[in-house]
Amino acid sequence: MTVTFDEVTQVFHLSNQKMSYIMEIKEPGFLLQVYYGKKISRFDHRGDYPEVDRSSFSPNPPGWKNREFSLDTALQEIPGQGTSDYRESLFEIVYPDGSSATSFVYQSHHIYQGKPKLAGLPATYVDDKEEAETLEIVMVDPFRQVEAILVYTIYRWRSVLTKSVRYRNLGEVTICLNRGMSACVDFDDDNFEMIQLPGAWAREKHIERQSIGTGIKILDSKRGASSVTQQPFMALVRPETDEHQGEAYGFHFIYSGNFSIRTEVDPFCQTRVLVGINPSHFSWQLEPLEMFQTPEVVLVYSNEGLNGMSQTFHHLYRERLARGKFQYQQRPILINNWESTYFDFDETKLIELAESSAELGIELLVLDDGWFGKRNDDKSSLGDWYVNQQKLPRGLASLAKAINDKGVKFGLWFEPEMISEDSDLFRQHPDWHLHVPGLPSSQGRDQHILDVSREDVRDYLFVTMVKLLNKAPIEYIKWDMNRNMTEIYSLGRPPQQQQETAHRYILGLYDLLERLTNKYPDILFENCSGGAGRYDPGMVYYMPQSWASDNTDAIERIKIQYGTSLVFPPIMSCAHLSESPNHQVGRLTSFESRSAVAMSGNFGVMMDVTQKTASERKSISKVISFYKQHRHLIQFGEFYRLLSPFEHNDGAWLFVSENQDHALFFYFEILSQATKPFRRVKLAGLDPDAEYLVENVIRTGEELMNYGLYVNYEMQHDFSSKVIDIRRSDSDTL
Ligand code: DGJ
């Protein structure tokens, strides 16, 4: 791995075994992109991008002697605004005189081993300096007293480049950063299709693939959270790219608030990708000498198809984004009482649930919503984080002890960022939520959002949670968040800083999470936002697992989990075995299919196991013990998508152990058909030369990957599934 700068050619080359990213400086200092893609071992000249006059209406930079160069057609690293590039800009700065034209030129650079932290923000990291190299390029506008430091880190063993920017005011007057995005990549062609992960509540991360036409396409969130509507992710892929081969460029933003991913194809069939904080609802007062740090964008390059891209994300997020004690630990099998009791539970019920769960091999009981204040429905008490005496008269500590005595750990649900109007906290602090004084405030699920951009509010939440966590043996927290922002205004800031509130909120949230997770390293935190409303890489930094969706229907989950796996590894996506008929969609599904889908992630249970018959309990217990036997493989193995449920009436995926000795294959047929076509599925990731035992037959890895397995011929019901355990026949795991 190297980051080099050739003084003669003025070319920067960032490369590792898999990829190259090349830029060059052009007089008087414009930083231009040259190449991003498969590794080029030697690149010892300047880029050959032709210089011919095709600018017509596109002006040339001031003082330029010919018409053969225009910023409007150049491939740029830091496209500015108001200085002849009419495409989308990376930034917009407004000066006290009301003007905004800014053009950055190269001033200096610095290359060093390792990767810097990002002040107050989650980011990928290294454990050892040798793992990555960083390039910082200082860009200045000589007429404007501003600088932008472009920060690039390339990992040695991963096809990963990260980018962020620090914008700094070098002058003596306040300037206004109206747009401060994190990364721009300009490609010189448009031979791409775009993959995105849109969704809605209970229908998260559905894969959509479409061609990119001329013009601008925006994927974004203006909801104050990354949201279910869009994941802060986009991939550009070649038309021929599929799961197993072809080029894919993945862009993922490590941020949990408003974001924007803009893809623009210009008249010359060049494609620009911009990623960053959404300029809408954003503007930052940059005081003299103040710096604004943008969040980080992860860029993954794969020439091994979408699985190659996803596996790079999976490893990076497991190994260098998630942190703490649980990062490499197998996750406990939990039972959550939400779908079995909703708000209607008491101590006796929970202890029975714990006892019954322990007998089945469940390791942790999570008490969900309704344990605090006077909360018996979703209309009150958020903010009153003290125990509901009517339901739990002996308190949380006693409940937790009783549950522990049954042999399971105890976990608790919180929704710390929210406040109900009907709560003691609201009565004491009617000004602590986001709202515009004098205007009515919108409610969502009958709740407001606490203004965690304010330090006093954060401190209150921290102290309140600490009191609780110190009192009872709580070993897991489900951190929920069930509405999006409106009337975004903070009483903690002057009027001219109100457009900073949405971002300051996210910085405040990160600060609170950092403090809590540092103070309680032994608590396993699970991220939730009505399912996956804020399941993004920013949250992964603080919480190593997330509730992938409130939809627990096995059939809907096939798509949700398939889509989620595009960027997040299965260990991070919690999936629960739930009742049939399903509570969200009313569908009846077999126990086998429900367990197969739930077992394909971070497995848990969401049913009232106390009400099950002996034979149902036997089945649950068998599934739990099967999962335990395969837990390491599922949570830490390589995940391959094989057959897309978005394209077919069936879907398939596979887990393969690191040493390729062991694999677990899952196949799902959605609707049954008469006289149906046979489905032969080719596996992936096995050792071609090894022999594997598959359903009592020995087959070579080569055969399994090229010929595959016939899977659906015996299936005769809707919503069928098949799980096949595959072992290397000469391994001791057999
Ligand atoms: C939304 C979550 O996604 C559910 O699992 C549950 O915790 C409810 N909130 C409780 O209000």
Side-chain angles (χ1 to χ4, degrees):
M1 168 194 62
T2 45
V3 177
T4 58
F5 178 63
D6 185 324
E7 293 285 348
V8 178
T9 59
Q10 299 277 290
V11 166
F12 291 103
H13 188 170
L14 294 81
S15 70
N16 59 25
Q17 283 314 307
K18 305 206 158 159
M19 51 157 280
S20 281
Y21 191 92
I22 302 174
M23 301 172 278
E24 67 183 22
I25 301 169
K26 180 179 176 64
E27 282 301 321
F30 299 128
L31 186 61
L32 304 183
Q33 285 176 3
V34 176
Y35 173 82
Y36 176 29
K38 193 168 178 192
K39 180 190 172 71
I40 296 175
S41 300
R42 284 184 54 185
F43 193 89
D44 25 42
H45 55 99
R46 290 183 63 78
D48 295 326
Y49 191 84
E51 289 205 350
V52 289
D53 180 7
R54 57 176 181 171
S55 44
S56 47
F57 279 85
S58 307
N60 315 105
W64 208 258
K65 305 228 167 25
N66 57 44
R67 295 184 184 172
E68 285 154 10
F69 177 78
S70 170
L71 288 172
D72 199 26
T73 55
L75 305 174
Q76 298 193 64
E77 270 299 309
I78 176 164
Q81 207 232 7
T83 55
S84 81
D85 186 345
Y86 296 96
R87 293 166 293 178
E88 286 279 308
S89 68
L90 188 71
F91 63 88
E92 182 193 308
I93 301 169
V94 178
Y95 302 90
D97 65 0
S99 67
S100 65
T102 307
S103 189
F104 282 113
V105 290
Y106 169 87
Q107 186 184 56
S108 62
H109 73 270
H110 175 39
I111 297 169
Y112 55 91
Q113 295 276 297
K115 182 172 193 299
K117 288 194 164 179
L118 264 59
L121 285 164
T124 56
Y125 58 89
V126 291
D127 270 356
D128 182 329
K129 280 187 175 172
E130 293 289 306
E131 283 178 43
E133 206 159 49
T134 297
L135 163 68
E136 297 198 359
I137 306 180
V138 181
M139 304 290 294
V140 292
D141 182 326
F143 305 97
R144 288 299 201 178
Q145 305 279 299
V146 284
E147 93 184 353
I149 301 177
L150 307 176
V151 183
Y152 306 78
T153 297
I154 181 164
Y155 277 84
R156 183 186 291 271
W157 297 288
R158 307 169 195 270
S159 195
V160 174
L161 176 73
T162 64
K163 283 189 171 199
S164 64
V165 184
R166 298 197 297 268
Y167 297 95
R168 193 188 299 274
N169 180 356
L170 302 175
E172 287 168 3
V173 288
T174 305
I175 57 176
C176 200
L177 186 65
N178 279 345
R179 173 188 291 218
M181 298 184 80
S182 301
C184 171
V185 178
D186 272 356
F187 295 91
D188 66 359
D189 74 318
D190 65 350
N191 185 28
F192 291 116
E193 289 175 352
M194 171 192 288
I195 293 182
Q196 52 169 315
L197 291 171
W201 174 77
R203 183 164 42 80
E204 294 91 342
K205 299 187 184 65
H206 275 218
I207 298 179
E208 255 183 49
R209 180 169 175 160
Q210 61 215 192
S211 55
I212 49 169
T214 307
I216 302 168
K217 169 104 187 167
I218 299 178
L219 311 180
D220 78 351
S221 166
K222 297 192 263 302
R223 295 171 167 272
S226 50
S227 91
V228 285
T229 317
Q230 276 292 347
Q231 176 63 199
F233 163 80
M234 194 271 295
L236 287 183
V237 299
R238 300 296 175 191
E240 66 278 8
T241 297
D242 61 22
E243 289 288 8
H244 307 288
Q245 58 82 38
E247 282 191 305
Y249 295 86
F251 300 82
H252 209 184
F253 193 34
I254 306 187
Y255 190 59
S256 309
N258 295 337
F259 70 89
S260 183
I261 301 179
R262 295 167 182 230
T263 307
E264 178 169 8
V265 177
D266 73 12
F268 304 100
C269 301
Q270 306 186 120
T271 307
R272 168 168 293 174
V273 179
L274 291 169
V275 185
I277 293 178
N278 201 326
S280 178
H281 305 313
F282 173 85
S283 165
W284 199 269
Q285 296 286 300
L286 216 47
E287 304 295 335
L289 302 183
E290 205 185 51
M291 180 267 284
F292 181 82
Q293 170 70 66
T294 73
E296 175 170 296
V297 182
V298 176
L299 285 76
V300 167
Y301 170 74
S302 162
N303 63 351
E304 290 161 331
L306 291 169
N307 274 318
M309 177 194 77
S310 300
Q311 288 165 3
T312 303
F313 276 120
H314 293 182
H315 281 276
L316 181 74
Y317 290 174
R318 266 195 331 235
E319 295 153 17
R320 292 296 177 263
L321 181 60
R323 302 172 298 167
K325 171 176 164 180
F326 298 96
Q327 186 181 4
Y328 294 113
Q329 259 188 33
Q330 292 187 18
R331 305 297 161 76
I333 296 180
L334 62 83
I335 183 159
N336 177 304
N337 73 311
W338 180 240
E339 286 193 5
S340 48
T341 67
Y342 293 104
F343 293 100
D344 184 17
F345 58 82
D346 59 17
E347 193 180 271
T348 314
K349 176 74 203 170
L350 296 170
I351 295 171
E352 273 171 26
L353 199 58
E355 182 167 17
S356 187
S357 301
E359 287 162 12
L360 298 171
I362 291 171
E363 296 155 328
L364 170 83
L365 182 142
V366 179
L367 172 53
D368 210 280
D369 197 352
W371 59 267
F372 51 93
K374 57 180 178 62
R375 188 150 164 109
N376 291 319
D377 56 29
D378 61 10
K379 295 191 176 2
S380 82
S381 303
L382 292 168
D384 295 348
W385 300 111
Y386 41 80
V387 80
N388 182 325
Q389 294 287 344
Q390 273 179 349
K391 292 182 190 172
L392 306 171
R394 291 190 296 164
L396 276 181
S398 150
L399 173 71
K401 181 166 181 315
I403 285 172
N404 290 169
D405 288 347
K406 298 293 175 199
V408 286
K409 295 177 175 171
F410 178 64
L412 198 59
W413 179 96
F414 283 94
E415 197 178 359
E417 300 155 73
M418 298 292 150
I419 181 165
S420 310
E421 273 192 17
D422 183 5
S423 68
D424 292 342
L425 189 66
F426 192 86
R427 286 181 277 275
Q428 281 156 24
H429 297 285
D431 61 337
W432 268 14
H433 62 290
L434 293 175
H435 69 287
V436 183
L439 280 193
S441 317
S442 318
Q443 295 202 55
R445 209 192 189 202
D446 281 293
Q447 61 203 51
H448 295 288
I449 304 186
L450 278 172
D451 180 4
V452 299
S453 74
R454 282 170 61 167
E455 206 173 338
D456 54 346
V457 175
R458 289 202 299 279
D459 285 348
Y460 170 81
L461 285 173
F462 181 75
V463 169
T464 308
M465 289 186 74
V466 163
K467 266 193 210 149
L468 263 163
L469 298 174
N470 286 352
K471 244 200 266 168
I474 295 165
E475 297 184 66
Y476 159 107
I477 286 178
K478 178 174 174 186
W479 184 294
D480 207 347
M481 192 283 283
N482 284 300
R483 62 156 291 186
N484 289 145
M485 289 182 192
T486 51
E487 292 90 29
I488 305 170
Y489 191 96
S490 170
L491 295 188
R493 293 271 152 192
Q496 66 275 18
Q497 284 191 321
Q498 288 305 326
Q499 293 304 309
E500 300 175 9
T501 305
H503 180 54
R504 285 192 184 276
Y505 179 98
I506 298 297
L507 294 177
L509 171 65
Y510 290 153
D511 172 61
L512 182 59
L513 287 169
E514 183 73 18
R515 285 163 73 188
L516 282 166
T517 50
N518 278 339
K519 186 162 173 63
Y520 297 102
D522 295 333
I523 295 183
L524 171 61
F525 282 76
E526 179 167 320
N527 168 45
C528 173
S529 174
R534 209 168 48 189
Y535 184 5
D536 57 58
M539 297 312 269
V540 167
Y541 188 68
Y542 304 97
M543 312 201 217
Q545 60 188 53
S546 293
W547 181 221
S549 177
D550 264 357
N551 192 336
T552 61
D553 171 63
I555 302 310
E556 299 265 294
R557 273 277 184 151
I558 298 171
K559 283 187 174 164
I560 294 169
Q561 291 175 204
Y562 197 94
T564 303
S565 78
L566 222 50
V567 282
F568 296 113
I571 189 174
M572 290 185 182
S573 297
C574 298
H576 292 173
L577 172 62
S578 66
E579 300 286 355
S580 172
N582 173 266
H583 289 203
Q584 289 74 43
V585 298
R587 185 178 281 124
L588 288 161
T589 47
S590 69
F591 179 80
E592 285 66 35
S593 294
R594 276 179 285 142
S595 3
V597 175
M599 277 197 300
S600 301
N602 186 331
F603 177 80
V605 177
M606 218 186 231
M607 24 163 76
D608 188 351
V609 290
T610 63
Q611 299 302 307
K612 298 291 166 202
T613 62
S615 106
E616 286 168 336
R617 287 174 58 76
K618 207 165 156 199
S619 307
I620 300 174
S621 156
K622 257 171 94 180
V623 164
I624 289 172
S625 87
F626 182 87
Y627 188 78
K628 283 182 180 169
Q629 281 164 34
H630 296 81
R631 177 158 43 185
H632 189 81
L633 168 64
I634 293 169
Q635 299 191 349
F636 295 96
E638 208 68 273
F639 181 78
Y640 290 87
R641 289 177 304 271
L642 301 178
L643 197 62
S644 172
F646 295 99
E647 292 163 19
H648 310 282
N649 178 40
D650 50 3
W653 52 62
L654 177 80
F655 297 85
V656 181
S657 67
E658 203 185 344
N659 60 10
Q660 297 168 305
D661 274 3
H662 185 194
L664 202 57
F665 169 75
F666 291 78
Y667 174 77
F668 306 96
E669 186 179 69
I670 297 168
L671 293 181
S672 184
Q673 281 171 279
T675 51
K676 63 187 164 193
F678 296 138
R679 171 67 83 192
R680 179 159 53 88
V681 182
K682 297 177 186 178
L683 309 194
L686 302 172
D687 176 352
D689 301 324
E691 291 188 333
Y692 291 92
L693 187 65
V694 187
E695 297 183 307
N696 299 321
V697 179
I698 300 279
R699 298 173 190 271
T700 65
E702 188 187 35
E703 180 194 323
L704 288 166
M705 292 192 289
N706 293 308
Y707 181 73
L709 297 170
Y710 279 105
V711 283
N712 67 344
Y713 55 96
E714 283 170 336
M715 291 181 165
Q716 283 179 338
H717 301 285
D718 287 349
F719 319 132
S720 301
S721 66
K722 191 169 219 169
V723 181
I724 304 178
D725 198 351
I726 298 167
R727 309 263 179 170
R728 197 192 281 261
S729 61
D730 54 359
S731 90
D732 3 313
T733 58
L734 205 59

